[in-house]
Amino acid sequence: MEIVKTLDAIWAARWPLVQGLGDTMLISAVAIVLGTMLGLIVGLLLSYGNRPVRLVVRLYSDFLRGTPVFVLILASFYVLSVLGIQLSAFQAGVFALTLFCSSHIGEIVLGALKAIPKGQTEAAKSVGLTFFGTFFSVLLPQALRMILPTWVTTATEIVKASALLSVIGVVELLLAVQQVISRTYLSLELYFFAGFVFFLINFMIEKAGRFVERKVSLPT
């Protein structure tokens, strides 16, 4: 009977839950895409920037990786508003998750670029390739194969971290579920439902990542 009651509650609140799920997926997707793009720049600057640039970017990366994502979310929403930068809860959440993602992706890119033999860069220069030509034609394809598994892990972490945005009022999946719980008092059942949905999202990300990894891997 409890299962039937839970399913009835989920069905009755299906549209708010679908909206919450949509916001969770949208926030996660935007943060992952923007964080990956910014992280690529961070990794490049850490690898090829001059000493002052590397120092600044290193401080940026270490600070963000050492700060709990919960604190980043609160700071993005409350501290920025005190400084005169007005962001909606949705924008502040995406901003915080993007910064968090970029710091981790930057370290992943740095490690991948360091793993590529320097001889390949020198060979590319010897045939007249520019820095960007060398990077996009020689280094990036190899780096992508190495960073993909860790990138998938980072992407799943961002999806899970999106649940923290409920503290600033973003009605993502978790807050939508909590609103249903406040009316039905089915806390255990509905939290289990939310956890299962998050599991499904991350499971699909991991499966997609493994599929792409098989496609881009070199034949042995």
Side-chain angles (χ1 to χ4, degrees), residues 75-96:
S76 298
F77 188 61
Y78 294 108
V79 176
L80 290 181
S81 63
V82 173
L83 298 176
I85 303 174
Q86 300 296 330
L87 297 177
S88 67
F90 185 94
Q91 293 169 336
V94 170
F95 179 72

Side-chain angles (χ1 to χ4, degrees), residues 115-155:
I116 299 174
K118 292 184 178 180
Q120 297 194 26
T121 302
E122 295 170 356
K125 289 180 179 179
S126 67
V127 298
L129 287 179
T130 63
F131 170 79
F132 289 104
T134 300
F135 177 73
F136 286 107
S137 300
V138 179
L139 301 179
L140 184 59
Q142 299 181 72
L144 287 176
R145 295 188 182 98
M146 289 185 278
I147 70 175
L148 187 57
T150 317
W151 178 88
V152 169
T153 301
T154 302

